[in-house]
Amino acid sequence: MPLSAAATLAREVIAPCPRNTPALTRAEAETLLAQIPNWTLSADGTMLMRSCVLPDFANAYALVERIAALAEAADHHPDIAFGWGYVRLTLQTHSIGGLHRNDFIMAARIETLPH
């Protein structure tokens, strides 16, 4: 069975991103965004965002723990806000002030986790 676009993206390597790397253009970001349909772009196109609704605080916390472990292993960390029944994620490559392919790879990897 062929892999989904998100699963294929999730298998890519998260590579080091030097500070002089240009951020993705909005058009480039929108092309990659099509592979991770649960995510949206910020209005200015510099961040990926996703909200998850969960049944309670314990499930939200458990998802945050799974995301944190994944992020540590990849050395690519989302900003995470959570509380009773929700998790909000934001991805951006801060060193370049915008989005890099790594952000989309990390988003795709997060999508592989049970929500």
Side-chain angles (χ1 to χ4, degrees), residues 21-75:
T21 302
L24 295 174
T25 66
R26 184 171 196 91
E28 291 168 330
E30 287 174 352
T31 297
L32 287 166
L33 185 65
Q35 297 179 52
I36 48 169
N38 292 322
W39 292 76
T40 59
L41 283 177
S42 61
D44 64 1
T46 64
M47 291 182 282
L48 277 176
M49 301 174 300
R50 173 139 169 31
S51 293
C52 305
V53 176
L54 297 126
D56 54 33
F57 185 84
N59 280 283
Y61 181 71
L63 178 58
V64 168
E65 285 186 312
R66 291 190 298 274
I67 293 168
L70 190 67
E72 277 296 298
D75 196 24

Side-chain angles (χ1 to χ4, degrees), residues 63-68 70 106 108-115:
L63 178 58
V64 168
E65 285 186 312
R66 291 190 298 274
I67 293 168
L70 190 67
M106 191 66 211
R109 289 181 182 178
I110 290 168
E111 289 304 303
T112 69
L113 299 173
H115 287 68

Side-chain angles (χ1 to χ4, degrees), residues 11-29:
R11 289 181 168 202
E12 289 187 25
V13 173
I14 292 179
C17 179
R19 290 188 184 277
N20 62 348
T21 302
L24 295 174
T25 66
R26 184 171 196 91
E28 291 168 330

